């Protein structure tokens, strides 16, 4: 508001702006508004900036992790876990798709980098490609779990496979578990829960 008023005075009244007056106006507005804004200081740089303006930073609230437990499908179902990610908004994106059978054993998986996209696009592509693969394979009893920020039934195996997908722009089939996901497959098979922080 202070900058807008100063611009108007310059354009309409040909009045030179006082930068110190603009700065004081912005600083007083921030002091007034800060307690009512939803944002929090996220790191040291944010905190230092706020302190330099005379505002007490509010630390971001810590979020308790949620425990998740992967359940194997019942025969003759095949469980399809999908995940998608983007490193920025938008940024390097990828998806991962994992298939497991009734005894919980790894049945195969795909991962692929998608270039610059959003996390939502990557998650959606994971579901679409997973369903296309099951159709091509002739599998009819599919239990789909999507690893989305809005879905609690997340899966760490699909998450790790998705991270592998960032390294490749082509669709890669993993007939056997890559070493990066093997520990998480064992944890799922043995019924160990895993935590996920929901922001």
């Amino acid at each position: 508001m202070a900058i807008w008023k100063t611009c108007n005075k310059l354009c309409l009244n040909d009045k030179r702006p006082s930068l110190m007056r603009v700065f004081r106006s912005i600083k007083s507005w921030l002091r007034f508004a800060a307690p009512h804004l939803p944002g929090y200081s996220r790191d040291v740089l944010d905190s230092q900036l706020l302190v330099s303006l005379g505002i007490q930073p509010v630390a971001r609230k810590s979020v308790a992790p949620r425990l998740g437990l992967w359940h194997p499908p019942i025969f003759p179902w095949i469980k399809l876990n999908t995940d998608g990610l983007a490193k920025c908004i938008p940024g390097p994106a990828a998806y991962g798709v994992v298939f497991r059978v009734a005894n919980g054993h790894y049945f195969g998986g795909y991962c692929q980098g998608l270039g610059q996209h959003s996390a939502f696009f990557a998650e959606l592509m994971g579901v679409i490609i997973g369903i296309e693969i099951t159709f091509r394979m002739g599998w009819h009893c599919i239990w789909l779990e999507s690893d989305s920020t809005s879905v609690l039934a997340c899966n760490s195996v699909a998450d790790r496979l998705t991270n592998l997908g960032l390294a490749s722009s082509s669709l890669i089939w993993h007939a056997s578990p890559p070493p990066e996901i093997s520990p998480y497959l064992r944890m799922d098979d043995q019924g160990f829960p895993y935590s996920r922080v929901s922001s």
Side-chain angles (χ1 to χ4, degrees):
M1 181 63 85
I3 295 172
W4 179 77
K5 284 181 178 178
T6 303
C7 286
N8 280 347
K9 285 179 182 177
L10 179 63
C11 293
L12 300 175
N13 303 331
D14 199 26
K15 187 175 181 181
R16 283 181 63 91
S18 165
L19 296 180
M20 285 308 295
R21 185 177 296 158
V22 172
F23 177 74
R24 283 194 301 268
S25 177
I26 292 171
K27 190 174 175 180
S28 64
W29 182 87
L30 283 171
R31 280 189 182 147
F32 168 77
H36 309 289
L37 296 175
Y40 300 98
S41 62
R42 299 177 64 135
D43 53 32
V44 175
L45 189 59
D46 284 353
S47 297
Q48 288 174 344
L49 177 61
L50 291 172
V51 168
S52 72
L53 293 170
I55 300 166
Q56 181 61 39
V58 178
R60 189 173 185 183
K61 294 178 182 176
S62 60
V63 180
R66 298 175 185 265
L67 286 181
L69 186 62
W70 185 85
H71 298 282
I74 301 166
F75 181 83
W77 292 84
I78 297 173
K79 183 168 272 195
L80 162 60
N81 287 105
T82 69
D83 185 26
L85 65 80
K87 292 297 185 183
C88 298
I89 308 174
Y95 69 85
V97 177
V98 178
F99 299 96
R100 281 180 280 183
V101 292
N103 57 10
H105 289 158
Y106 181 86
F107 201 53
Y110 282 99
C111 61
Q112 181 179 16
L114 298 168
Q116 301 289 311
H117 285 288
S118 67
F120 176 75
F121 178 85
E123 289 167 352
L124 189 59
M125 285 303 295
V127 171
I128 291 170
I129 296 298
I131 292 171
E132 284 182 356
I133 292 167
T134 60
F135 180 77
R136 285 203 307 263
M137 296 292 204
W139 300 332
H140 302 290
C141 299
I142 292 295
W143 177 348
L144 171 67
E145 285 182 347
S146 172
D147 187 5
S148 169
T149 53
S150 59
V151 177
L152 296 182
C154 57
N155 182 254
S156 56
V157 176
D159 179 65
R160 295 312 186 280
L161 192 61
T162 299
N163 277 283
L164 289 179
L166 284 171
S168 174
S169 59
S170 59
L171 192 64
I172 298 176
W173 168 254
H174 294 278
S176 59
E180 293 87 346
I181 71 171
S182 295
Y184 301 96
L185 284 168
R186 284 194 295 274
M187 286 175 65
D188 281 351
D189 288 343
Q190 295 168 9
F192 285 107
Y194 48 88
S195 65
R196 179 181 180 96
V197 175
S198 178
S199 56

